[in-house]
Amino acid sequence: MGFFSRGNDDTPSNAEMAELGREYAIAKRHGDRKTVTRINRQIGESGISDSDRTSFEQGRESYDSIPPIPRGRNRRK
């Protein structure tokens, strides 16, 4: 137990669903509607449990917590 230890363990129980959540967040941020639709369809067809949904949300939030890189301004004249 370190001085700055938070003491919580937020590792997802299902790594595959966490990766799918990260992929969903990436597609959502970059505007890839085809991938977002595919993932939504995949989740809808397979009735996922509460623990899998939690893993999916943790994966999605892990990518969403990274702030986007600000775009440079257009320097053309």
Side-chain angles (χ1 to χ4, degrees):
M1 186 88 177
F3 186 69
F4 293 106
S5 177
R6 293 182 185 228
N8 58 358
D9 186 24
D10 290 339
T11 58
S13 61
N14 188 346
E16 183 179 332
M17 289 303 289
E19 182 61 33
L20 193 63
R22 280 191 288 276
E23 187 178 336
Y24 177 82
I26 291 169
K28 196 80 157 152
R29 182 178 286 183
H30 294 283
D32 187 1
R33 293 180 301 175
K34 184 177 179 182
T35 303
V36 169
T37 305
R38 179 184 56 83
I39 293 171
N40 282 334
R41 189 175 302 129
Q42 182 179 353
I43 288 174
E45 289 174 356
S46 64
I48 60 174
S49 65
D50 290 337
S51 63
D52 287 346
R53 180 152 322 266
T54 303
S55 296
F56 180 83
E57 292 296 325
Q58 286 176 345
R60 194 182 60 128
E61 290 169 1
S62 71
Y63 186 80
D64 285 340
S65 66
I66 302 170
I69 297 173
R71 298 182 65 154
R73 57 177 218 198
N74 190 356
R75 296 185 184 172
R76 283 187 271 153
K77 291 185 178 187

